[in-house]
Amino acid sequence: MSSTPLTTDPAHASPHPAPSPAHTSARPVPAFRGRIGRDARSGHYAVPRRYRLHLSPADPDGLRIAVTHSLLGLDRVCPVTFLPAVPDCPDGGHSALRPLYDASAHRYTGPALAPVLSDDWSGRIVSTYGPDIARDLARHFGGGRTALYPCGRESEIDAVERMCAQGVEEAAQHAGAAGAGEAERAAALDTLLGTLGVLERGLGAHPYLISDRITAADVELWVTLVQLDTVHRHHLDAAAVHRVADHPALWAYARRLAAHPAFGGHLDLDAINRRHHARCQGLEAAGAAVQILDWATHATPSTRPTHSTQPTPSPRTSPAPGARPQADRP
């Protein structure tokens, strides 16, 4: 079974914004962009335990890669070093990554950012570009496990990435921008709601986005929904958050994936909150009190260092009285 509506470019669902590569609004230009097994000249052959990931799951890119890594069951193939939610360097980098950056580029002066895929044989960085890292893990170490990038479905996954980046992340940022005019915020909110409507219709008919099983498109959307509710919501007014929450199939899907160990096991709400407040320069709005999902209840226990096969309920933490929107009412 395949859900075909989501192959449509997000620009067709709303006139704002124009198409562009995925994640351009939030992802910095990667300092390193090597590939595993791309060609014989690269030297980055797919050898188990040669490579190491350095991730902060509080960061969206880190969370995407951590979920991908767990879905593929790569704990013994590619070890992971988890980094703090808030980088400890004034430039926004991690001091733990500085030796890798210094060894990989002569007189590198930029911040030592995560995520990083490093080569333990050479002590150097292979890539700092999240999408390439996730694809290479799936293509070269996935074996017979979950086909996160099914053959012939790359264009659909790319379309979902654009939809999430432009129609959800960018739109939510603009809808909550304190310095924007009322008309600009309203147009951005229309874009956000239009995109969520497209996703709602697709997930109302199918359990996953582009297949009858989990793919990279689902990882992408789930991380985007986590960010929407735990970060972007804080800058929207309460009425806007209630409209965002009024997509029952979409949020039921997010809730269902949060109960999967590979997804919810990496969800650290306190770390996401600390990262957000360390980076955010915007104003908090009334939507901050309107929680869409109670992620702590639906998420599984941490997969670090071991995996759990069944979700374990946690005490429910409720927002302000009367503030819970439709998506997470009993």
Side-chain angles (χ1 to χ4, degrees):
M1 186 189 328
S2 173
S3 52
T4 56
L6 298 180
T7 60
T8 303
D9 193 287
H12 294 168
S14 172
H16 308 283
S20 64
H23 305 301
T24 52
S25 63
R27 179 179 289 127
V29 176
F32 302 91
R33 199 170 173 181
R35 303 299 297 268
I36 295 177
R38 189 171 188 179
D39 57 56
R41 293 172 298 176
S42 69
H44 300 305
Y45 296 105
V47 179
R49 300 198 65 82
R50 173 177 177 176
Y51 303 100
R52 179 178 299 273
L53 289 167
H54 307 260
L55 307 174
S56 171
D59 168 74
D61 265 348
L63 183 56
R64 289 183 188 98
I65 297 170
V67 171
T68 299
H69 182 271
S70 290
L71 285 170
L72 296 171
L74 300 183
D75 285 349
R76 296 184 178 182
V77 174
C78 181
V80 181
T81 296
F82 290 100
L83 301 167
V86 180
D88 57 348
C89 294
D91 61 1
H94 294 272
S95 60
L97 297 178
R98 176 54 58 181
L100 280 172
Y101 273 81
D102 288 344
S104 305
H106 182 59
R107 295 183 178 178
Y108 178 81
T109 58
L113 301 176
V116 166
L117 175 68
S118 67
D119 180 354
D120 280 354
W121 289 5
S122 66
R124 297 183 178 183
I125 294 172
V126 175
S127 180
T128 58
Y129 187 57
D132 286 352
I133 294 171
R135 281 174 166 81
D136 286 352
L137 291 176
R139 287 173 177 166
H140 300 292
F141 297 114
R145 304 177 186 89
T146 304
L148 296 182
Y149 295 87
C151 183
R153 313 305 288 271
E154 286 279 357
S155 63
E156 295 172 77
I157 294 172
D158 289 344
V160 170
E161 289 179 351
R162 288 193 300 271
M163 182 178 286
C164 290
Q166 300 166 8
V168 180
E169 293 183 20
E170 279 186 17
Q173 289 171 9
H174 293 154
E182 184 176 347
E184 183 181 349
R185 291 197 301 271
L189 181 60
D190 286 345
T191 297
L192 173 61
L193 295 173
T195 304
L196 297 181
V198 172
L199 294 163
E200 172 76 10
R201 290 190 292 275
L203 290 168
H206 303 283
Y208 302 109
L209 281 178
I210 66 169
S211 178
D212 59 356
R213 61 188 64 190
I214 293 171
T215 68
D218 299 294
V219 177
E220 184 72 28
L221 176 57
W222 185 78
V223 172
T224 300
L225 293 175
V226 169
Q227 287 291 299
L228 179 58
D229 191 17
T230 62
V231 175
H232 301 310
R233 166 177 60 83
H234 291 263
H235 305 290
L236 299 174
D237 62 46
V241 175
H242 279 283
R243 294 176 71 187
V244 168
D246 192 21
H247 296 84
L250 181 64
W251 292 106
Y253 160 89
R255 194 163 51 231
R256 177 161 45 90
L257 289 183
H260 190 300
F263 288 81
H266 292 291
L267 190 56
D268 187 335
L269 300 175
D270 178 65
I272 292 174
N273 185 61
R274 285 187 283 111
R275 179 180 183 274
H276 171 58
H277 286 287
R279 293 164 48 93
C280 182
Q281 298 179 349
L283 299 176
E284 191 170 275
V290 186
Q291 187 179 26
I292 298 175
L293 284 190
D294 190 343
W295 297 94
T297 295
H298 303 303
T300 53
S302 175
T303 57
R304 307 191 295 269
T306 59
H307 292 274
S308 172
T309 56
Q310 294 294 333
T312 300
S314 313
R316 179 176 291 269
T317 303
S318 299
R324 188 179 303 281
Q326 183 68 34
D328 211 27
R329 288 177 184 163

